[in-house]
Amino acid sequence: MNKMIKEHIVVAQNASGRNMNVPLYRFIGEQPGPKVYIQSSIHGAEVQGNVVIYQLIQFLKHIPLNGEIVLVPNCNPVGTNIKAGEYTLGRFDPVNGTNWNRGYFYDQALIQEFAASIDDKESVQSIKERFRSQIKQQLQNKLNETWGIGLAQRLNLKLQQLAFDADYVLDLHNGPVATRHIYVPEYAKESAKLFNIPHVILIPQVFSGALDEATFCPWWLLSDLVSAKRQQAIYFEVEAFTLEMGSQEVVNFTEGKYDAKSILAFLTAKNCLPANTSNPETIVRKAVYLKDYKILYTQAGGIVEYMAQPGEVITKGQVLAKVLNVDNLDNDQATHDILAPCDLIPILHFPSASVLSGTQLYKCFTEYFEL
């Protein structure tokens, strides 16, 4: 049966100089196979992923494993503990305002230089080992920077050191008020069908600082460069995904078990688990390219009733939200409707009923299609 090792890693220090640790659960199978890395709660309010990891641990205690799975719940204890009354304000580093999920490392020039060093006879496995070693050394160099780095970036780089060893990386998130959706690199589109997630966002080879991009962008670019050099398709079999599993500030153990089984279905298909351990459900999966994942901003401030629910199919002209202006309660300017500008599927909406002008009210699928 699998060997489970529990460790603790230091991700930060508080103002008293005490280490802030997070647990790391490492499952090692008796048979060789892929390496998987799964983390949750890089944003403090996005807590459901911890329940998913708990449910995964319960399953993995009893399922034979090929390879290794590393689980890091609550990977950002700083963000989790930044509270203001009833709300968790853990989306940004409180020192400099950096998004906790935007400080990962990517260096296109380094990848191009590495690709030039590969000769025609070097094996794919050797390339992967050398590339991993070089990237991890660069991460350590960044961590050892003489002038220091910000708290968010330090946390990100420590987690990236763990993740870059893996063949499959899953970063578990939640939206404000959201339905399940997943970010998938375009080259791994078929893998989206392995999760029980009905809404799929296909993303290009563009690095914006997130963990999934910091994982797949280097391998994607390296694959393109080596394939062009050898004039044949070279695929390194590394994939990374951001899974958005509903709304933030909410925990549900039943839903967590469902999402754990969804991840097990993916791991089964990737030969991490025995055949038929878990299979993806037969569901309709609607996909959109990132350019067609649109943000609807408010034109005016007010108090909002959200009429369209995440995941609902909406037609052009249908009411998305109703806005109340408290300065005009005595006249016909008291309310106005926000209408859908086109056929769309709202995926998430702003968590509060009180909004300023220019607020990201909804994020929506437009020009979507079935996978």
Side-chain angles (χ1 to χ4, degrees), residues 38-346:
I38 303 174
Q39 71 175 33
S40 65
S41 292
I42 192 67
H43 292 137
E46 300 175 19
V47 291
Q48 177 65 10
N50 299 312
V51 178
V52 176
I53 288 180
Y54 162 76
Q55 299 286 20
L56 282 171
I57 289 173
Q58 307 319 303
F59 285 118
L60 292 172
K61 286 178 179 178
H62 307 288
I63 302 172
L65 170 66
N66 303 321
E68 182 178 347
I69 298 178
V70 176
L71 305 164
V72 184
N74 196 37
C75 69
N76 180 9
V78 181
T80 303
N81 286 291
I82 300 175
K83 303 289 289 188
E86 300 173 357
Y87 298 99
T88 306
L89 304 180
R91 189 169 185 82
F92 303 98
D93 179 344
V95 177
N96 56 26
T98 304
N99 186 323
W100 288 111
N101 194 38
R102 293 294 182 272
Y104 296 98
F105 171 78
Y106 177 72
D107 186 335
Q108 181 170 320
L110 183 153
I111 300 164
Q112 292 169 330
E113 180 181 339
F114 179 86
S117 75
I118 298 171
D119 64 43
D120 292 340
K121 295 181 180 180
E122 186 173 7
S123 69
V124 169
Q125 185 60 34
S126 172
I127 294 171
K128 289 177 73 171
E129 290 173 0
R130 284 204 307 119
F131 189 55
R132 281 198 167 111
S133 177
Q134 185 158 338
I135 294 295
K136 288 169 66 179
Q137 183 59 56
Q138 289 299 315
L139 295 173
Q140 191 59 49
N141 291 345
K142 296 286 288 185
L143 286 167
N144 295 337
E145 175 66 46
T146 302
W147 291 90
I149 55 176
L151 175 59
Q153 189 179 21
R154 177 168 293 278
L155 171 65
N156 286 169
L157 295 180
K158 286 192 172 186
L159 296 172
Q160 190 176 355
Q161 283 181 317
L162 295 169
F164 208 77
D165 261 341
D167 302 295
Y168 303 108
V169 173
L170 308 182
D171 195 8
L172 309 186
H173 285 250
N174 298 94
V177 178
T179 189
R180 284 184 180 90
H181 55 292
I182 182 171
Y183 289 86
V184 176
E186 291 176 8
Y187 72 82
K189 180 170 65 175
E190 290 303 306
S191 289
K193 300 175 184 178
L194 304 176
F195 296 94
N196 300 328
I197 299 179
H199 301 100
V200 178
I201 303 166
L202 299 170
I203 51 180
Q205 191 187 128
V206 176
F207 179 70
S208 301
L211 178 63
D212 59 347
E213 299 159 347
T215 304
F216 71 69
C217 279
W219 293 107
W220 191 346
L221 176 57
L222 185 63
S223 177
D224 286 348
L225 293 171
V226 177
S227 296
K229 189 174 183 179
R230 295 188 174 181
Q231 297 185 323
Q232 66 180 95
I234 301 295
Y235 180 51
F236 292 108
E237 298 184 20
V238 176
E239 297 177 353
F241 310 92
T242 293
L243 282 63
E244 303 270 0
M245 299 165 301
S247 305
Q248 64 188 28
E249 298 278 34
V250 175
V251 158
N252 185 306
F253 281 82
T254 301
E255 295 296 317
K257 190 171 185 178
Y258 177 87
D259 286 313
K261 287 183 176 179
S262 171
I263 291 172
L264 292 177
F266 170 79
L267 297 179
T268 301
K270 298 300 184 181
N271 300 314
C272 302
L273 303 175
N276 298 318
T277 296
S278 184
N279 296 308
E281 294 184 354
T282 302
I283 60 174
V284 175
R285 294 174 177 83
K286 294 177 180 175
V288 69
Y289 288 101
L290 185 61
K291 64 182 179 63
D292 295 317
Y293 186 42
K294 301 291 188 182
I295 300 172
L296 180 68
Y297 294 90
T298 52
Q299 301 289 342
I303 300 172
V304 176
E305 178 183 0
Y306 298 94
M307 310 293 286
Q309 299 306 306
E312 184 180 357
V313 175
I314 302 294
T315 58
K316 181 179 180 179
Q318 190 172 337
V319 177
L320 292 174
K322 192 176 193 69
V323 184
L324 177 68
N325 184 326
V326 296
D327 273 353
N328 293 303
L329 299 184
D330 58 340
N331 59 56
D332 60 5
Q333 301 299 310
T335 66
H336 71 272
D337 293 335
I338 297 176
L339 307 180
C342 63
D343 293 348
L344 54 83
I345 300 174

